[in-house]
Amino acid sequence: QVQLVESGGGLVQAGESLRLSCTASGDGLSISNMAWYRQAPGKQRQMVASISDGALPEYSHSVQGRFTISRDNAKNTVYLQMNSLKPEDTGTYYCRMAVFKRTWIAPSVFWGQGTQVTVSS
């Protein structure tokens, strides 16, 4: 079983920055796609940023130019650098990874437990 552990959330003021991290446990993992999702209170979970191996990152319109997603394949880790935070960025942030191991028939998707980000005005 693969577990994703997130860290880096917190309470900040508008205009400040935060950096989220998410690491997948386990050996011999091949992770094709890593992504961050956000769920605001009373709303559906939505993709914020996504990065696939060998491809350009993708961002939601609302965070384009402020957030940067990056990955470290050697550490099975994905990062989300969030700058110029706004109150509307408040929510629970989840990492998501599409993982494959040689002993598996097909890739599987795993989610982190979520980390809270609160931006005050």
Side-chain angles (χ1 to χ4, degrees), residues 6-109:
E6 302 164 0
S7 62
L11 171 63
V12 297
Q13 292 188 335
E16 295 184 339
S17 299
L18 278 176
R19 188 191 194 211
L20 306 182
S21 299
C22 175
T23 299
S25 63
D27 296 324
L29 304 181
S30 176
I31 305 174
S32 57
N33 177 265
M34 300 180 178
W36 288 96
Y37 284 69
R38 175 172 70 202
Q39 187 165 19
K43 296 189 176 180
Q44 288 188 332
R45 192 175 299 185
Q46 294 184 322
M47 194 273 286
V48 171
S50 174
I51 184 168
S52 294
D53 227 358
L56 291 175
E58 298 179 1
Y59 299 94
S60 68
H61 179 73
S62 63
V63 307
Q64 183 79 41
R66 298 187 297 120
F67 289 12
T68 302
I69 188 171
S70 61
R71 58 188 287 169
D72 185 334
N73 291 337
K75 296 180 179 180
N76 293 333
T77 298
V78 61
Y79 305 96
L80 186 66
Q81 177 67 42
M82 305 185 293
N83 298 330
S84 303
L85 282 161
K86 303 176 180 180
E88 51 263 43
D89 293 320
T90 294
T92 303
Y93 285 70
Y94 298 89
C95 65
R96 173 192 183 276
M97 296 189 186
V99 181
F100 181 73
K101 295 182 77 170
R102 265 188 267 180
T103 54
W104 295 357
I105 296 174
S108 293
V109 171

